[in-house]
Amino acid sequence: MQEIYTDEYKKLGLNIAYYRKAKGISQLKLAEKINISRTHMSRIETNGCAVSLDVVFAIAKELNVPVYKLFEFR
């Protein structure tokens, strides 16, 4: 992850956490459904790592949220 994009990754992670919690899904459950570890899911939400578009697409699909919503930074 390039340092210049830290804010964007943080906002993406916050959006993922927001929609996950709104659906009442735990990090573990979401991670299992998209075939990643709970630790990786946590790191995505807390800006601990970069995330591939494949994983972002899987998260959006599982949460039934349009992908663009995850990138709507407020």
Side-chain angles (χ1 to χ4, degrees):
M1 170 174 48
Q2 292 187 24
E3 196 171 315
I4 60 172
Y5 299 120
T6 300
D7 287 342
E8 287 81 1
Y9 278 106
K10 181 178 181 178
K11 291 172 187 174
L12 174 63
L14 289 171
N15 282 348
I16 291 169
Y18 171 81
Y19 286 109
R20 177 183 58 75
K21 290 174 185 177
K23 299 281 183 178
I25 300 172
S26 69
Q27 282 184 345
L28 178 60
K29 189 71 156 177
L30 179 57
E32 288 174 346
K33 288 185 176 270
I34 64 169
N35 202 30
I36 63 172
S37 70
R38 192 220 42 93
T39 303
H40 189 188
M41 187 75 247
S42 174
R43 292 184 70 219
I44 290 168
E45 289 186 359
T46 60
N47 192 31
C49 68
V51 58
S52 72
L53 285 176
D54 288 344
V55 172
V56 172
F57 295 155
I59 290 169
K61 183 176 181 179
E62 193 58 43
L63 294 177
N64 198 29
V65 173
V67 174
Y68 78 89
K69 288 285 196 181
L70 299 178
F71 290 95
E72 279 189 339
F73 302 149
R74 306 180 250 296

